[in-house]
Amino acid sequence: MEQDNPLESVTLKDIAKAVGVSRTTVSNAFNRPDQLSPDLRQKILTVATQMGYLGPNPMGRMLRTGHTGAIGLVFHDSLSYAFADPTAIAFLQGVARTCEAAQASLLIVPVVEDVAVQQTIQQAAVDGFIVYCLPNQSDAMTQVLRRQLPIVVVDQPNVQGFPSVYIDDRQAAYEAAAHLLKLNHQRLAIISLEFLDDYCTGLVDLQRIQNADFPITQRRWQGYVDAIQEAGLEADAVLVEECAGNSEESAFQAALKLLKSTPRPTGILAMSDRLAIGALRAAEQLGLKVPADLSVVGFDDIPLASRIRPRLTTVRQPLTEKGSIAAELLLKNAPASKSRILKTQLVVRESSGLAPTSAE
Amino acid sequence: MEQDNPLESVTLKDIAKAVGVSRTTVSNAFNRPDQLSPDLRQKILTVATQMGYLGPNPMGRMLRTGHTGAIGLVFHDSLSYAFADPTAIAFLQGVARTCEAAQASLLIVPVVEDVAVQQTIQQAAVDGFIVYCLPNQSDAMTQVLRRQLPIVVVDQPNVQGFPSVYIDDRQAAYEAAAHLLKLNHQRLAIISLEFLDDYCTGLVDLQRIQNADFPITQRRWQGYVDAIQEAGLEADAVLVEECAGNSEESAFQAALKLLKSTPRPTGILAMSDRLAIGALRAAEQLGLKVPADLSVVGFDDIPLASRIRPRLTTVRQPLTEKGSIAAELLLKNAPASKSRILKTQLVVRESSGLAPTSAE
DNA sequence: CTGTTAGCGCGTTCAT
DNA sequence: ATGAACGCGCTAACAG
C-alpha cells in the first residue's frame, strides 16, 4: 500500500508561491486564523482548494509539534481474540467514549509475535499508551516502557509508578465465594483464567499460582481461598482448573472434568462470565439442574450474563467505566497518585442457590 | 498530554557522535544491517541502548518514508455506539485479524460532530482508510475522499471507483421474506434500520425510503417488498417501522406498536438481529408465542442469535470475513475491480414457523 | 499583520 | 563499508 500520487505533492510551499506569500502565512491561514486578515485567509484557502491541497500533512505536523492526537492501546494476546472477548469490548467502548469526547484517535497496536512487537510498538505514532492486562514480564510491556511516553496501566496491579485503574480482585472474588459458602456449599471448585501466559490448561498446582504472570488471576484465586479458609474448609481440597484465553469452550471442558469427579462439587467459582457460561453448558450436558444441583458464580457481569437462562450470579465490575477512566487519566497526563480502584458488586441472580442437602 | 521528557531527546545524531560515526551509519545499523560490519553494528546498538535511545522516532521516519504502518477505520456514528454493536464488532474482528497478520496498526477515527470531523480525519496518520457503512452524503466520507489515500468501502454499494466489499442486500432480504411467505404468512411488517441519518423513528413513508442515505437499508427493504409483491400480496399494506441506531430498545418499541395494530402481523422482518431480538422481547411482553403466534426473521446472524430462545431465524452474512477482506484489499492496494460481493445464507431456526391458521 | 530563519528526526542518494 | 549533503512538510520564534 504505497502512496504514489504525484497529485498529492501540493505542499504549503507551493501554495505560498501561488498566492505570493510566505509559507508561514499559509500555515497560519490553516492553524491560526487570528494571525492574518480574513480576506487574505479566505484567498489562501480558496487557492489551496483550487490546487487540491489536502490540508497540512499530518506527518510533517506531527514531527514538528511532537504530538499526534492519538493514543495507543495495547492488549495482551491477539487482536482477533480481544475483539471476541466481551470484557475487552466493554473496556474498549469506555476508552472510545472519552476518546471521542476529546477528539483523540485510538491506535490499536497488534501484539503478535515477539519479533514484531518491538517494531510495531516502536513505530506507533501516539502520545501515550493504555496498557490492558499485559502479563508481568511480557515483551510488549517492555517495549511500551521503552517509549517513555505517558502510560496508563489497567488490570496490572503489580506495575508501579504509573497511573492505573483496576479493581480489588481479591475482595471481589472473596465475596463471590462467601456467597456460595453462605448457601452451605461445602465442595467448591474453581475455574480460572490464565496464571501463566503459556496456554496451558488443566489442573493447577500451587507453584503455578505463586509464579503467576497475571496478578489478577492470582488475586482472584486468593480471594476465593481466603473465604474458603475463613469458613473453616480445607482450601487444598479445592480443585483449580485453568482455562486458556478466557474461552467458553475451554471452560466447558474444564467443568465437565470437575463435575465428573467425586465427590462432585456443588459450587463452581468462575473467574469470568464466559468461563461461567461454559460451566453452565457443561452442567446442562450432564443433566445437572442449576441451581438445584449446582451453583455457578461468574465474574465481570458482561451483558450476556443477564440474558442467558439461568441468569448468571456474578460479580459486576464496571468494565466500560474502566476504559473511560483509563483514557481520561492518559489524556490528562495524570500522575500515578491519581490511580483509581473501582468498585465491584455481587449480583445475585438465578445460577446460585442453596447447596443440595441430599447429595449422593 | 504533552511529552516533555528531556530524556527522550536522544537522537540518531547523539548516538552517532557518541560512537564516533556518522548519522547514516547509525541509521543503517537499525534499518539495513547488511550495510555495515556486524561488529560495528553491535557496538552501535549497545551504545544506543546505554544512552536510552528508543529506536528511530516514528514521526521522523513517517515523514521521511511517507507511510505509517497503520490503516484508518472510519465508522458511521459514534465509537461508543460502534463498540456496542455486535455487527461492528464482528467486522472489527475481521479487520484486526488481517491487520495483525500484516503487522499493521489500526487507527480508529472518532467521527462525532461536523466541526471536528475535518480535523480528525485530516490529522490521521494512516496509509489508507476503511470506510464502514457511512451514509451517502456524510461529512466524514467527504473528508476521507479529500485525503486521496487508498480507500476500501464497506456496505456502501453506491460509492463507485474504489474497491469495496458488501453483500447482495436485496437478495438476502428477499430470501428472508420468501421464507415467511412460504410459511403462509399474509400479514408482514418490517422493522428497519435507518434510512436517513437523522435519528427519526417510526412509520416510514415511500419518500423517505427513496431518499435513503443508507443504501443497504434501502436495498433490504426492496428485497422484502419484491418477495411480497411476487407472492401476490400488496406491498403498500406492509408497515415499515424505522429504528434508530440499530438499538434493541428502539425495536422493542416499534414491535410493540406493530403488534398492537389490527390486523396484527403474523410475521416480522427485521433488518438486523438486534432489531429482531427487540421484537422477540415485545412479543414476550404481549404474551405472544413465537413462532406459534408470530414469526420473526432477523438479519446478520450475530453470535447472540443462536443463543437466545427461541433461536433466531436469520440471514447470515459473513461479518468477520467482511472485515478481513476489506483490510486485505486495502493492504494490497487492490484496484476497484477487485471488489467482493460476499455470500449470504438463510439460517432457519426456531423463531419462524407456519402462519397461525385460526387467527382472529 | 507578515516574512525570515531554523530546525523537528529521519532515510536516501552519491560519493569516497 | 562509510560519510556528506539533502529534503520530507511543517510550525515556533522572532523581527519587521
Side-chain angles (χ1 to χ4, degrees):
Chain A
M1 198 172 46
E2 302 301 315
Q3 48 181 357
D4 36 20
N5 358 17
L7 291 172
E8 189 181 2
S9 56
V10 183
T11 173
L12 272 192
K13 184 163 45 174
D14 302 329
I15 129 166
K17 194 182 297 173
V19 181
V21 295
S22 84
R23 278 204 311 280
T24 310
T25 308
V26 181
S27 174
N28 282 336
F30 283 96
N31 302 311
R32 310 197 165 178
D34 54 319
Q35 295 292 304
L36 70 176
S37 68
D39 328 3
L40 180 55
R41 177 173 138 87
Q42 192 49 55
K43 183 176 168 192
I44 290 176
L45 294 183
T46 310
V47 174
T49 314
Q50 281 169 2
M51 296 179 64
Y53 182 60
L54 316 167
N57 174 304
M59 305 167 201
R61 161 178 291 196
M62 278 165 37
L63 176 57
R64 184 60 237 226
T65 63
H67 59 274
T68 66
I71 72 180
L73 188 48
V74 182
F75 283 105
H76 162 244
D77 241 340
S78 80
L79 284 186
S80 30
Y81 156 83
F83 285 125
D85 187 338
T87 303
I89 298 286
F91 177 77
L92 209 48
Q93 197 181 341
V95 174
R97 181 170 305 161
T98 67
C99 274
E100 67 191 355
Q103 293 180 40
S105 293
L106 191 55
L107 187 77
I108 299 187
V109 180
V111 169
V112 260
E113 283 309 313
D114 317 277
V115 199
V117 168
Q118 179 165 358
Q119 270 272 9
T120 332
I121 293 187
Q122 276 187 9
Q123 286 263 89
V126 297
D127 298 332
F129 283 101
I130 293 178
V131 167
Y132 182 78
C133 206
L134 254 39
N136 264 345
Q137 320 201 337
S138 67
D139 244 33
M141 192 65 204
T142 313
Q143 294 304 327
V144 169
L145 289 172
R146 276 178 60 84
R147 287 292 300 270
Q148 308 206 27
L149 291 173
I151 298 179
V152 170
V153 156
V154 180
D155 277 355
Q156 298 173 240
N158 288 358
V159 178
Q160 306 293 331
F162 301 99
S164 58
V165 29
Y166 48 92
I167 58 173
D168 186 342
D169 286 287
R170 200 205 64 83
Q171 177 64 20
Y174 178 92
E175 286 168 20
H179 169 65
L180 286 190
L181 292 162
K182 203 184 299 174
L183 293 168
N184 284 333
H185 288 269
Q186 309 267 337
R187 293 193 304 280
L188 299 179
I190 296 173
I191 297 187
S192 99
L193 292 168
E194 293 158 301
F195 285 95
L196 266 53
D197 190 21
D198 57 6
Y199 297 92
C200 279
T201 63
L203 222 49
V204 184
D205 60 15
L206 202 56
Q207 175 166 10
R208 188 169 172 88
I209 294 174
Q210 282 161 349
N211 293 337
D213 276 335
F214 290 100
I216 69 167
T217 306
Q218 197 178 40
R219 291 177 182 211
R220 289 181 194 179
W221 172 83
Q222 189 68 57
Y224 292 147
V225 165
D226 286 353
I228 289 167
Q229 287 180 329
E230 230 172 71
L233 300 179
E234 204 174 340
D236 293 353
V238 176
L239 299 183
V240 182
E241 280 279 337
E242 179 170 345
C243 297
N246 189 20
S247 103
E248 201 178 305
E249 178 56 26
S250 179
F252 175 77
Q253 301 297 344
L256 230 42
K257 206 162 116 192
L258 288 170
L259 293 173
K260 283 177 179 165
S261 65
T262 38
R264 171 155 54 72
T266 65
I268 287 187
L269 296 162
M271 286 196 195
S272 83
D273 287 351
R274 294 191 95 193
L275 298 181
I277 290 169
L280 289 179
R281 273 188 43 223
E284 189 180 6
Q285 167 128 345
L286 295 175
L288 295 172
K289 296 288 176 211
V290 174
D293 303 322
L294 175 73
S295 288
V296 177
V297 181
F299 202 113
D300 292 336
D301 196 21
I302 61 175
L304 191 55
S306 49
R307 307 193 70 142
I308 52 162
R309 298 304 137 87
R311 294 188 180 86
L312 188 64
T313 294
T314 189
V315 183
R316 173 182 303 155
Q317 64 165 319
L319 292 165
T320 304
E321 199 185 344
K322 222 184 212 176
S324 159
I325 291 178
E328 225 167 83
L329 291 177
L330 186 59
L331 290 168
K332 278 184 188 164
N333 205 4
S337 62
K338 291 287 185 188
S339 295
R340 294 275 302 272
I341 303 184
L342 271 32
K343 290 237 168 62
T344 61
Q345 185 191 2
L346 179 72
V347 182
V348 179
R349 297 204 183 93
E350 304 160 2
S351 70
S352 60
L354 275 175
T357 49
S358 61
E360 63 280 80
Chain B
M1 197 173 44
E2 303 301 316
Q3 47 181 358
D4 35 21
N5 358 17
L7 292 172
E8 190 182 1
S9 55
V10 182
T11 173
L12 271 193
K13 183 161 46 173
D14 302 329
I15 131 166
K17 195 182 296 173
V19 182
V21 295
S22 82
R23 276 203 318 279
T24 311
T25 308
V26 181
S27 174
N28 283 336
F30 284 96
N31 302 313
R32 307 196 166 178
D34 54 317
Q35 294 292 307
L36 72 175
S37 67
D39 331 0
L40 180 54
R41 176 174 139 87
Q42 193 48 56
K43 183 176 169 192
I44 291 178
L45 294 182
T46 309
V47 174
T49 314
Q50 281 170 1
M51 297 179 64
Y53 182 61
L54 317 166
N57 174 306
M59 306 167 200
R61 155 175 287 181
M62 279 165 38
L63 176 58
R64 185 60 238 236
T65 63
H67 55 67
T68 66
I71 71 179
L73 187 50
V74 182
F75 283 106
H76 161 244
D77 241 340
S78 81
L79 285 186
S80 29
Y81 156 82
F83 285 127
D85 188 336
T87 304
I89 298 286
F91 176 77
L92 208 48
Q93 198 182 340
V95 173
R97 182 171 303 162
T98 70
C99 273
E100 65 191 357
Q103 294 179 40
S105 294
L106 190 56
L107 187 78
I108 300 188
V109 181
V111 169
V112 261
E113 282 309 313
D114 317 277
V115 198
V117 169
Q118 178 165 0
Q119 270 272 10
T120 332
I121 293 187
Q122 276 188 9
Q123 286 263 88
V126 297
D127 299 332
F129 283 102
I130 294 178
V131 167
Y132 181 78
C133 206
L134 255 38
N136 263 345
Q137 320 200 337
S138 68
D139 243 32
M141 192 67 203
T142 313
Q143 294 303 329
V144 169
L145 290 172
R146 275 179 61 84
R147 286 294 298 271
Q148 307 206 27
L149 291 173
I151 298 178
V152 169
V153 156
V154 179
D155 278 356
Q156 298 173 236
N158 288 359
V159 178
Q160 305 292 331
F162 302 98
S164 56
V165 29
Y166 48 94
I167 58 174
D168 187 343
D169 285 287
R170 201 205 63 82
Q171 176 64 21
Y174 178 93
E175 285 168 20
H179 169 65
L180 286 190
L181 292 162
K182 203 184 298 172
L183 292 168
N184 283 335
H185 289 268
Q186 308 267 338
R187 295 193 305 278
L188 299 180
I190 296 172
I191 297 186
S192 101
L193 292 168
E194 292 159 301
F195 285 94
L196 265 52
D197 190 20
D198 57 5
Y199 297 93
C200 280
T201 63
L203 222 49
V204 184
D205 60 15
L206 202 57
Q207 174 164 11
R208 188 169 172 88
I209 293 173
Q210 281 161 351
N211 292 337
D213 277 334
F214 290 100
I216 69 167
T217 307
Q218 198 177 41
R219 292 179 182 210
R220 290 182 194 179
W221 173 83
Q222 189 67 57
Y224 292 149
V225 164
D226 286 353
I228 288 167
Q229 287 180 331
E230 229 171 71
L233 300 179
E234 203 173 341
D236 293 352
V238 176
L239 299 182
V240 181
E241 279 279 338
E242 180 170 343
C243 298
N246 189 21
S247 103
E248 201 180 305
E249 178 55 26
S250 180
F252 174 77
Q253 300 298 344
L256 230 42
K257 207 163 117 192
L258 288 170
L259 292 173
K260 283 177 179 166
S261 65
T262 41
R264 172 157 52 73
T266 66
I268 286 187
L269 297 163
M271 287 197 194
S272 83
D273 287 350
R274 292 191 98 193
L275 299 181
I277 289 169
L280 288 180
R281 273 187 45 221
E284 188 180 7
Q285 166 128 348
L286 295 174
L288 296 172
K289 296 289 176 212
V290 175
D293 303 321
L294 175 73
S295 287
V296 177
V297 181
F299 202 112
D300 292 334
D301 197 22
I302 60 175
L304 191 55
S306 50
R307 307 193 70 140
I308 52 161
R309 299 301 138 87
R311 293 188 181 85
L312 189 64
T313 294
T314 189
V315 184
R316 173 182 304 156
Q317 63 165 320
L319 292 165
T320 303
E321 199 185 344
K322 223 185 212 174
S324 161
I325 291 177
E328 224 167 83
L329 290 178
L330 186 59
L331 290 167
K332 277 183 188 163
N333 206 2
S337 63
K338 291 287 186 187
S339 295
R340 295 276 301 272
I341 302 185
L342 271 31
K343 291 235 168 62
T344 62
Q345 185 191 0
L346 180 71
V347 182
V348 178
R349 297 203 183 95
E350 304 160 2
S351 70
S352 61
L354 275 175
T357 49
S358 60
E360 61 276 83

